[in-house]
Amino acid sequence: MKNTLIVLLGPTGVGKTDFSVELAEKTGSEIISADSRQFYMEMRIGTAVPGDDLLKRVKHHFIRFMSVREYYSSSIYERDVLRLLPSLFEKNNTVIMTGGSGMYIDAVCNGIDDIPDTDPAVREKYNKLYEAEGIEGLRIALKMLDPDHYTKVDLRNHKRIIRALEICESTGLPYSSFLQNRKTVRDFTIIKAGLRRERQQLYERINTRVDMMIEEGLEEEASKLFDLRHLNALNTVGYREFFDYFAGTISREKAIELIKRNTRRYSKRQMTWWSRDESIQWFDASEKEKIYDYLRI
RNA sequence: GGUGCCAUAGCUCAGUCGGUAGAGCAACGGACUGAAAAUCCGUGUGUCCCCGGUUCGAUUCCUGGUGGCACCA
């Protein structure tokens, strides 16, 4: 039987974590997390990392394995997962990947174009340009270095422009010349099952989950990370709202309300991301039997 | 029971000297190639409480209801 990567995806709060452990136990496989914020060892409560009981039941990978101080990306994730997978397939011909980071999942399933690494100083340079001259300064630079990409990129999104610029400058070639737009075929089978819930029910679960995080001590967890708040990894729902509260900009009550709202918005963005992926078979979170049938387990 | 005030978007409210209405928040839709729980873009979603009256035309003015709040009994 061919090696199979089962990808269990869905918006935050839909119930992936518990179900993935059930699936893993049923198939005897291990779990690869595809949650870009559960990677960090400094965060636990606010990123809804699986509880110790679940972690004990099934071996998980890519959970709290690095520091928020380190750089990471979907490309590095692709590389790391592809390196790990052969050893997992040796033990069992199914591996389960679960998480909510669409871009990271796509990196593993479809691959992303090979683009050389960049010098962090170059990104810093363009961040400074953005600060000094605004989006217009970035646009002028891009029009000069990569006129082709200039016509395609979202010209109001500074992160996209800076990304293109740093590649242009680091490689001496236009960013667009690296974009092949082709899908890599893996030597293992990929099956994607999406979990969904009625919007209102999902939102109620999100709101309840945030209240639970508060009870479990999210505020204290965030307070310990306050000094590191400038790091990208901490530009995360559940933490940045508390940072604003600690800084005195908003009330504690307002921070909690915003965490709920921003988590709801995040879940919507996840659903939008997956809406165009036709390889996903969607199931209501209550239809576990149908999912087992679909996965033939 | 009496008097007064109020009733407009999911919520809080503004407004229309009579020509079917708009803010904030919430919500909704979309984009996405190494920062992605990030970043960016777009959208008012409405029996203007109900029945009548006046009027060419009523959410707006008037009568009467209904509901809410306040005060007096």
Side-chain angles (χ1 to χ4, degrees), chain A residues 195-237:
Chain A
L195 284 187
R196 64 181 169 203
R197 280 176 195 272
E198 205 179 309
R199 187 71 62 93
Q200 200 188 339
Q201 192 191 37
L202 180 67
Y203 283 7
E204 277 164 15
R205 284 174 61 98
I206 287 173
N207 294 342
T208 305
R209 194 175 75 168
V210 171
D211 287 333
M212 279 168 54
M213 287 176 176
I214 304 295
E215 268 179 47
E216 285 172 40
L218 176 58
E219 181 173 353
E220 200 200 341
E221 184 171 289
S223 74
K224 287 180 184 160
L225 296 168
F226 186 70
D227 292 339
L228 301 174
R229 63 190 180 283
H230 57 281
L231 295 173
N232 176 65
L234 290 169
N235 183 193
T236 297
V237 177

Side-chain angles (χ1 to χ4, degrees), chain A residues 63-77:
Chain A
I63 295 270
R64 304 182 72 197
F65 69 99
M66 60 177 289
S67 167
V68 293
R69 298 166 195 270
E70 294 172 63
Y71 175 79
Y72 206 68
S73 72
S74 56
S75 170
I76 304 174
Y77 180 73

Side-chain angles (χ1 to χ4, degrees), chain A residues 85-102:
Chain A
L85 272 176
S87 67
L88 298 185
F89 281 136
E90 242 169 66
K91 289 187 261 184
N92 190 306
N93 59 22
T94 59
V95 170
I96 291 168
M97 169 174 278
T98 189
S101 301

Side-chain angles (χ1 to χ4, degrees), chain A residues 12 35 100-101 261-270:
Chain A
T12 189
D35 251 298
S101 301
R261 185 198 69 182
N262 292 337
T263 306
R264 279 182 245 128
R265 289 181 174 175
Y266 169 51
S267 73
K268 175 59 179 76
R269 293 199 301 278
Q270 291 174 299

